[in-house]
């Protein structure tokens, strides 16, 4: 019998509904984005930001992307890139970057989905929250930006309970 | 000592280390299972700080860090150093971060200035197969995102800056022919220095560090096809024009 030459295939990993169940089990209030039966992302509204998670079906390594757009419309534009570079040097994981039209400062981190379970996902979710808040507040203030939650509130896209 | 661990690995990992030794053994076994020829990177004070893997265009560092949440596997790579267009580096790093799906691109001001890649993942999210896939994905990101960033800033190959940071000179390796006149004196006087054929011969004959001199030579002469070359440059790499001052 010929030896198999297939590359290693990890387990497929959890789906978004599993992520939602894990977060709700530890007391988070989770919002589904998209069709409730087939959501494209889940998220939690915090006072400072909206933190979302979605699946990246990147074969053969499926990933879970945790992301937040923390602030937007920086008035001190010349300060943005040096501050982002500084923040990136201090991160344990993930990356800060600038999205255009309109200018938004975004933090993203990916997790290999294969071995993820509830405890590990909640741990990484909270660590992401800590990093996002620690650097996001500084970036918002030092670039004279506007908190993205504030912009969403102005557009009435915030949940009623928020 | 675990008899399953090859002797070569055991010599490398039985030094004092800031993280528990079992994790280093596990990481080493993953790397050896991938048939990678890694070298231990031992600091005399700290102990083993990682493994080095020399590829043609990247020198990868693979190591462990002990965080509050447990050991974290990190993969880092120097993309380029001593860029010609250091002022573009922040924008290039940001653009790369926008396109990455794994890790991050860092701009370190130096000297010498450096673009580097860094990716980290908790060790408990990895096993042998997942690590191999993650490693392949990192190599893919380096080629698809890292290389365009290096080109945008016209960085130098990290092999041209092999010395440790403290000993690294500010400028790239001493250039033998630092001006167009010197190039002509050295034997390219027969052909105009912007001639593509002559350029390619030069590039083949001289070390890569001399590319700066070649570029300099090709750009400032009058009889060159500099306009055509400039038209070939993608918008991202082209020299930005100054904005007209508002009256």
């Amino acid at each position: 019998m010929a030896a198999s030459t297939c590359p290693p295939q990890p387990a497929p990993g959890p789906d978004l509904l599993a992520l939602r169940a894990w977060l709700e089990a530890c007391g988070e209030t989770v919002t589904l984005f998209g069709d409730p039966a087939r959501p494209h992302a889940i998220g939690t509204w915090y006072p400072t930001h909206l933190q979302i998670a979605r699946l990246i079906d990147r074969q053969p390594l499926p990933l879970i992307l945790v992301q937040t757009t923390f602030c937007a419309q920086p008035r001190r534009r010349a300060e943005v890139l040096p501050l982002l570079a500084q923040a990136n040097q201090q991160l344990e994981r993930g990356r800060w970057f600038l999205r255009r039209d309109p200018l938004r400062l975004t933090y993203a981190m990916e997790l290999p989905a294969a071995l993820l379970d509830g405890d590990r996902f909640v741990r990484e979710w909270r660590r992401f929250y800590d990093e996002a808040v620690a650097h996001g507040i500084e970036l918002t203030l030092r670039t004279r930006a506007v908190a993205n939650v504030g912009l969403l509130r102005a557009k009435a896209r915030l949940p009623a309970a928020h | 000592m675990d008899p399953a661990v090859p002797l070569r690995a055991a010599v490398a990992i039985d030094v004092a280390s800031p993280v528990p030794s079992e994790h280093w053994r596990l990481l080493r076994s993953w790397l050896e299972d991938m048939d990678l020829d890694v070298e231990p990177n031992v600091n005399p004070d700290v102990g083993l700080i990682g493994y080095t893997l020399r590829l043609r265009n990247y020198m990868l560092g693979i190591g462990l860090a002990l965080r509050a949440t447990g050991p974290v596997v990190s993969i880092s790579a120097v993309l380029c150093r001593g860029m010609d267009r250091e002022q573009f580096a922040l924008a290039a790093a940001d653009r790369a971060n926008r396109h990455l799906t794994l890790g991050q691109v860092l701009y370190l001001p130096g000297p010498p200035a450096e673009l580097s890649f860094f990716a980290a993942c908790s060790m408990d999210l990895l096993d042998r197969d997942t690590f191999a896939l993650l490693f392949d994905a990192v190599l893919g990101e380096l080629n698809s995102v890292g290389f365009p960033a290096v080109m945008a800033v016209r960085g130098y190959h990290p092999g041209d800056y092999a010395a440790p940071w403290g000993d690294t000179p500010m400028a790239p390796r001493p250039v033998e022919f630092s001006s167009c006149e010197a190039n002509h004196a050295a034997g390219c006087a027969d052909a105009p220095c912007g001639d593509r054929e002559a350029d390619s011969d030069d590039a083949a004959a001289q070390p890569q560090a001399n590319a700066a001199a070649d570029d300099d030579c090709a750009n400032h002469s009058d009889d060159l096809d500099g306009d055509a070359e400039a038209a070939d440059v993608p918008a991202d790499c082209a020299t930005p024009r100054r904005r007209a001052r508002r009256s």
Side-chain angles (χ1 to χ4, degrees), chain A residues 77-86 88 96-100, chain B residues 83 85-100 105-108 114-115 145-146 148-153 235-238 240:
Chain A
R77 294 190 181 188
E79 302 291 328
V80 172
L81 291 183
L83 286 170
L84 286 180
Q86 196 177 13
N88 277 327
W96 280 96
F97 57 92
L98 188 64
R99 298 168 83 184
R100 313 255 171 196
Chain B
M83 316 52 129
R85 293 173 162 179
E86 200 178 331
Q87 69 273 23
F88 288 5
L90 288 172
D94 181 63
R95 187 167 52 238
N97 279 325
R98 198 160 51 242
H99 293 137
L100 279 174
V105 170
L106 294 167
Y107 167 66
L108 304 171
E114 177 179 306
L115 276 187
V145 178
V150 170
M151 285 295 97
V153 299
D236 285 342
C237 303

Side-chain angles (χ1 to χ4, degrees), chain B:
Chain B
M1 185 181 298
D2 184 1
V5 179
L7 181 62
R8 187 161 57 94
V11 169
I13 62 181
D14 275 350
V15 296
S17 169
V19 292
S21 178
E22 311 86 61
H23 296 117
W24 284 108
R25 284 199 180 89
L26 187 60
L27 178 62
R28 177 80 187 209
S29 71
W30 290 348
L31 292 167
E32 292 192 336
D33 286 345
M34 295 164 64
D35 291 331
L36 298 175
D37 187 17
V38 294
E39 304 165 17
N41 190 356
V42 180
N43 181 296
D45 297 326
V46 182
L48 181 66
I49 55 174
Y51 294 104
T52 301
L53 175 65
R54 294 173 193 276
L55 303 178
R56 181 171 295 276
N57 289 319
Y58 310 106
M59 187 153 48
L60 291 178
I62 303 149
L64 286 173
L66 190 57
R67 305 291 189 198
T69 55
V72 171
V73 177
S74 63
I75 303 174
S76 59
V78 178
L79 300 178
C80 66
R81 286 180 179 150
M83 316 52 129
D84 273 1
R85 293 173 162 179
E86 200 178 331
Q87 69 273 23
F88 288 5
L90 288 172
D94 181 63
R95 187 167 52 238
N97 279 325
R98 198 160 51 242
H99 293 137
L100 279 174
T101 55
L102 268 175
Q104 62 173 171
V105 170
L106 294 167
Y107 167 66
L108 304 171
E114 177 179 306
L115 276 187
S116 61
F117 174 87
F118 179 80
C121 182
S122 285
M123 201 161 192
D124 59 3
L125 292 178
L126 298 173
D127 59 6
R128 185 184 312 266
D129 292 342
T130 313
F131 178 75
L133 293 171
L134 181 73
F135 191 82
D136 285 345
V138 165
L139 294 182
E141 295 288 343
L142 287 176
N143 290 332
S144 63
V145 178
F147 181 63
V150 170
M151 285 295 97
V153 299
R154 292 193 175 173
Y156 286 90
H157 192 287
D160 291 339
Y161 279 90
W165 278 72
D167 302 333
T168 306
M170 292 285 288
R173 194 188 299 169
V175 177
E176 294 170 14
F177 309 103
S178 59
S179 68
C180 185
E181 290 76 17
N183 247 355
H184 282 277
C188 71
D190 294 338
C193 52
D195 190 324
R196 287 178 186 274
E197 217 175 284
D199 277 352
S200 65
D201 286 343
D202 278 349
Q206 295 183 7
Q208 189 171 359
N210 289 347
D214 292 342
D215 283 348
D216 188 30
C217 174
N219 284 335
H220 83 269
S221 297
D222 292 331
D223 57 346
L224 305 181
D225 48 355
D227 290 340
E229 284 186 2
D232 291 337
V233 176
D236 285 342
C237 303
T239 307
R241 292 180 182 170
R242 289 189 180 177
R243 286 185 189 167
R245 282 191 182 172
R246 292 181 185 171
S247 57

Side-chain angles (χ1 to χ4, degrees), chain A residues 39-124:
Chain A
H40 60 76
I42 62 162
T44 298
W45 295 90
Y46 293 110
T48 47
H49 64 285
L50 168 64
Q51 187 167 317
I52 65 167
R54 56 193 171 89
L55 305 180
I56 299 181
D57 189 18
R58 176 193 170 129
Q59 294 303 332
L61 181 67
L63 298 171
I64 290 175
L65 181 74
V66 186
Q67 182 171 315
T68 180
T69 296
F70 201 90
C71 56
Q73 302 174 354
R75 291 193 347 235
R76 296 172 69 186
R77 294 190 181 188
E79 302 291 328
V80 172
L81 291 183
L83 286 170
L84 286 180
Q86 196 177 13
N88 277 327
Q89 288 179 34
Q90 295 165 357
L91 287 177
E92 285 184 18
R93 266 170 279 173
R95 57 194 169 273
W96 280 96
F97 57 92
L98 188 64
R99 298 168 83 184
R100 313 255 171 196
D101 299 328
L103 288 181
R104 290 161 288 164
L105 277 63
T106 301
Y107 176 45
M109 177 188 76
E110 64 291 317
L111 303 168
L115 300 182
L116 212 55
D117 61 14
D119 290 342
R120 291 166 180 164
F121 179 68
V122 170
R123 180 194 71 199
E124 298 294 329

